Structure formats: C-alpha cells, structure tokens
Amino acid sequence: MKKIILLLLLISFSAHSQTNRFTGTWSTENCKDCSKEYVLTLNIAQSNSKIFGTAEITSANEKFVTGVMEITGYVYVLGEKAQISMKSKNGSVSAVLYANEGVIQFTKRGGSDLVPKETILTKLYD
C-alpha cells in the first residue's frame, strides 16, 4: 500500500511540473497601465524547467528598438517564477518572470538598458 501511495505522489509531482505557464507570445501591447512608447514582445517555449525564445522591443522612437534578442533561462521548482537571460548584439540583460493568472510580471535584475525595469505582459497567443 505504501508503494502505491508513493507512486501516486510521484506521478502528481511530475504532472505538476509539466505545466508550461510561460509558453506562448507575451506582450505589453494590451497593458492598460504600461508606457505606450514601446511594445515588448516575448516569444517563449518552456520545456519542463528550461525556457528558450526570442524577445523584441518595437517603437516609433529609434532609441527603444532593440532588434531580436535571444532568451534562455530556467523555471523554478513550483513553476510560477522563472529566471531568464536576454542577449542581443548591444548587450545582455537578466530578468525574473512571475506567472499569475494569464499575466507575467517582468522584473529586470541587471545588465544593460535594453529593456524596461518592470512591466506587465499579457498573453497574445499560445
């Protein structure tokens, strides 16, 4: 009986870790409280605890335009927080993502001034 309970417990943990909360296209395009000088777009694919993807800032003002940036990172154990690194030809940035009910809070941790310090991203596509 103990072996069956242990097996069910392990299956529930693996099922919980399989939820990919960060997968999709996220953007500040629909953010109500965000600055409209630029649009930050993240295209992220999550595979268990790894994150890969691209990011781009588009704007009418040339000082905000970054071009395509490469995203790599990992998701913490419970799957609600992720640490990412964004690299472009102009520098690199590290940031933390918090997933909560269909939105992601983007908080910059360090690096060059390529991206905003903090913003809210909403999901555009899966």
Side-chain angles (χ1 to χ4, degrees):
M1 186 67 174
K2 289 182 181 180
K3 290 182 181 181
I4 293 173
I5 292 173
L6 181 61
L7 179 65
L8 291 174
L9 184 64
L10 290 174
I11 290 171
S12 70
F13 280 136
S14 66
H16 178 66
S17 68
Q18 295 288 332
T19 58
N20 296 334
R21 296 179 186 201
F22 297 98
T23 297
T25 300
W26 301 86
S27 179
T28 59
E29 191 174 324
N30 298 329
C31 183
K32 295 178 179 115
D33 299 327
C34 300
S35 169
K36 297 299 178 186
E37 292 181 88
Y38 58 86
V39 175
L40 172 63
T41 305
L42 303 176
N43 295 313
I44 300 173
Q46 177 185 348
S47 175
N48 291 334
S49 63
K50 299 286 184 186
I51 289 181
F52 303 98
T54 60
E56 185 175 15
I57 294 180
T58 55
S59 175
N61 189 343
E62 283 296 317
K63 75 177 186 175
F64 293 120
V65 176
T66 61
V68 177
M69 298 179 280
E70 178 185 343
I71 296 176
T72 56
Y74 62 93
V75 179
Y76 286 89
V77 176
L78 296 177
E80 296 175 352
K81 182 179 175 183
Q83 177 76 36
I84 63 169
S85 174
M86 301 166 61
K87 296 176 184 169
S88 77
K89 61 183 176 184
N90 298 332
S92 64
V93 174
S94 65
V96 175
L97 304 175
Y98 297 97
N100 188 13
E101 297 180 17
V103 298
I104 289 181
Q105 178 183 351
F106 177 93
T107 306
K108 179 178 153 185
R109 291 291 185 204
S112 58
D113 291 332
L114 298 173
V115 297
K117 292 185 188 265
E118 190 170 299
T119 191
I120 302 295
L121 302 161
T122 56
K123 194 168 202 171
L124 297 179
Y125 312 107
D126 281 333

